Amino acid sequence: MIDTLIGRLPAGRVITDPDVLDSYARDRTFLEPGKPLGAVLATSREDVVTTLKWATENRVPVVPRGGGTGLAGAATAMDGSIVLSLAKMTAIRELSPADEIAVVEPGVITADLDKAARRHGLMYAPDPSSYEISTIGGNLATNAGGLRCVKYGVTRDSALGLEVVLADGRVLNTGRRTMKGVTGYDLTGLFVGSEGTLGVITAATVRLRQAPKAPPATFAAEFGSLRDAGAAVSAIMAAGCQPSLMELLDRATLQAIDAMRNIGLEDATMAMLIGQSDASDSAAVVARMQELCEENGAAFVAVSSSPAETEELIGVRRMAYQAKERLGACLVEDVCVPRSLLPDMIEAIERAAAKHGVKICTVAHAGDGNLHPVFVFDHGIPEPPPEIWAAADEVFTQALALGGTLTGEHGVGLLKKRWLGLETGELGTEIHHGIKAVFDPLGILNPGKAI
């Protein structure tokens, strides 16, 4: 059957070699993938159209894939599927400084779009920690957030319009090029975060923003407890400081980073808060945030005096996941709670770790209540042991009890499906499946993921 697809696409587009194919079947999770029939390395919308028409004719599941940096298992291949890689679709089709928009293909690396925008005094705001290797298509598929989302929002807030190939190969254009538009239903917003289950995005019109005129000011504050750090976050947000970045790291994460890079971690430091302002008066704003940290128990606050120092402080946060991967296999989660309840959620995570005897390293996009508890277990185990799942169950149920959500930016994929019904409810689940049936009546697009 795969031969007919090979015959329809230009030479070299389809990979069937098992050793090469295995690298396209995985994402960044510990999940063991199935055995796909092959992988299509699309370089154009036409390649995607051809692949999906063939898949519909032959009832073959299709697993869309970007850079493979996902943390929820959404890009993990299944037996008998076709992996559809968009990583070679890397064109920035248009960048309009006058309209502050760009039209990009899904394989564009997030950091590359930001660099292109900054040559015109603009920036692309979403910046997940994997921004140097993740793709715009993957960011759209999971509605990724990142360090700057406290001020600029998640990917959906920057997505104006999409070009989407549906399961049967038809091409749908959604949205607009304007900052406003309320014609019809918000199909753009529906596709963003759908994890490849409704269609395959082949281009996106995204919003750019004015880049800061001067380098941002940054601080790092050390606390003797996570609750004090959480209280400082609440005080900073209540004071209207509008940070462009507000990241919280617990001691377990700091220890992992210290073991990898020797950051000089003090014995008394239980948490670190890293904040930034890109306002025109950023130095004054950071000075105010420093005061609020000190008023809420910070033992020490360092403020950057140069762009190099800023990069060094932010670099501590960006290396967090890499440092944790050195400790063992990782079940990475991303619950989100109302910002005022951040300290309560942090304490719930600590209780779950102690109760079940597991290692949990937590970082948080603290300014918007999005926590990333990472459950660490031994390498070589095919999946997390029962005590990891038990601790994760407590974390998720507590997040929902606090009025939160199972995922703030990583998506559901495969790893969170066991808890999905607790949030969506019976009627919500029914409606989700109804929407899926409209766009993908045969159920061939990333089946078993997200819903």
Side-chain angles (χ1 to χ4, degrees):
M1 182 163 44
I2 192 72
D3 290 341
T4 60
L5 177 60
I6 294 172
R8 294 187 191 183
L9 290 166
R13 293 287 196 276
V14 183
I15 291 175
T16 57
D17 180 274
D19 293 333
V20 179
L21 191 56
D22 185 67
S23 65
Y24 285 93
R26 302 174 180 273
D27 61 8
R28 206 170 177 180
T29 66
F30 55 82
L31 293 170
E32 189 63 26
K35 301 295 183 183
L37 298 174
V40 174
L41 310 186
T43 64
S44 67
R45 182 185 70 185
E46 289 66 35
D47 290 344
V48 177
V49 169
T50 298
T51 300
L52 290 179
K53 284 183 176 179
W54 174 89
T56 292
E57 292 168 10
N58 294 280
R59 306 297 196 270
V60 174
V62 177
V63 179
R65 173 189 172 86
T69 62
L71 296 169
T76 306
M78 59 187 297
D79 288 339
S81 65
I82 286 292
V83 176
L84 178 54
S85 171
L86 291 308
K88 292 184 178 293
M89 295 183 63
T90 58
I92 298 178
R93 296 182 184 176
E94 178 187 353
L95 199 157
S96 171
D99 292 326
E100 296 186 356
I101 62 169
V103 181
V104 297
E105 293 184 348
V108 173
I109 298 296
T110 311
D112 290 344
L113 174 57
D114 188 50
K115 290 174 185 174
R118 287 181 187 270
R119 288 194 284 269
H120 301 276
L122 303 170
M123 70 175 188
Y124 179 63
D127 69 329
S129 294
S130 59
Y131 77 116
E132 293 180 316
I133 54 175
S134 64
T135 63
I136 295 294
N139 293 172
L140 289 162
T142 61
N143 193 22
L147 277 62
R148 289 195 293 252
C149 57
V150 62
K151 182 172 182 178
Y152 297 105
V154 292
T155 298
R156 184 179 284 122
D157 298 303
S158 292
L160 298 175
L162 301 173
E163 174 187 272
V164 183
V165 182
L166 302 180
D168 58 7
R170 290 179 296 169
V171 179
L172 172 68
N173 289 287
T174 75
R176 59 205 186 278
R177 293 169 58 94
T178 56
M179 293 299 118
K180 295 171 64 179
V182 295
T183 305
Y185 296 127
D186 181 10
L187 296 181
T188 301
L190 179 62
F191 279 103
V192 177
S194 63
E195 301 184 54
T197 61
L198 301 180
V200 178
I201 296 169
T202 51
T205 301
V206 296
R207 179 183 181 183
L208 305 177
R209 300 173 190 266
Q210 288 291 321
K213 303 303 181 185
T218 308
F219 75 87
E222 298 178 6
F223 292 85
S225 77
L226 278 165
R227 179 161 281 279
D228 285 347
V233 172
S234 296
I236 287 169
M237 302 307 294
C241 293
Q242 293 189 312
S244 53
L245 180 153
M246 184 62 61
E247 298 292 304
L248 178 63
L249 297 81
D250 74 351
R251 182 165 179 81
T253 300
L254 293 169
Q255 287 175 320
I257 295 171
D258 193 53
M260 184 176 77
R261 198 58 62 87
N262 187 20
I263 59 174
L265 179 64
E266 298 290 339
D267 291 341
T269 301
M270 295 293 111
M272 178 180 289
L273 186 63
I274 301 175
Q276 186 177 87
S277 171
D278 62 5
S280 56
D281 58 344
S282 60
V285 174
V286 164
R288 177 59 179 146
M289 290 194 282
Q290 178 183 3
E291 291 175 0
L292 292 168
C293 286
E294 292 169 345
E295 290 173 9
N296 284 276
F300 175 76
V301 183
V303 178
S304 65
S305 59
S306 68
E309 288 187 3
T310 288
E311 287 302 311
E312 186 175 342
L313 292 176
I314 301 303
V316 171
R317 168 61 181 88
R318 292 201 185 276
M319 70 177 76
Y321 185 61
Q322 182 184 355
K324 293 170 199 174
E325 285 185 313
R326 289 162 54 95
L327 302 178
C330 296
L331 170 63
V332 184
E333 300 305 348
D334 67 320
V335 297
C336 194
V337 297
R339 194 168 55 213
S340 63
L341 298 177
L342 184 69
D344 300 86
M345 191 64 231
I346 290 170
E347 290 184 347
I349 293 170
E350 291 181 318
R351 287 196 302 271
K355 177 180 176 180
H356 297 282
V358 301
K359 189 172 189 63
I360 305 178
C361 303
T362 302
V363 299
H365 304 310
D368 51 14
N370 189 188
L371 302 99
H372 296 309
V374 176
F375 302 75
V376 182
F377 58 99
D378 291 339
H379 284 300
I381 300 176
E383 70 167 60
E387 59 269 22
I388 291 285
W389 288 121
D393 183 68
E394 289 195 17
V395 168
F396 282 121
T397 54
Q398 183 61 23
L400 294 175
L402 292 174
T405 178
L406 298 171
T407 176
E409 57 186 7
H410 291 170
V412 173
L414 287 173
L415 291 178
K416 300 188 187 74
K417 282 188 64 180
R418 65 179 68 196
W419 297 285
L420 186 61
L422 296 177
E423 182 168 342
T424 59
E426 185 176 347
L427 179 57
T429 299
E430 178 185 333
I431 290 172
H432 275 77
H433 285 278
I435 293 170
K436 168 76 168 172
V438 169
F439 289 95
D440 180 23
L442 299 179
I444 65 169
L445 289 179
N446 220 5
K449 313 288 179 58
I451 64 168

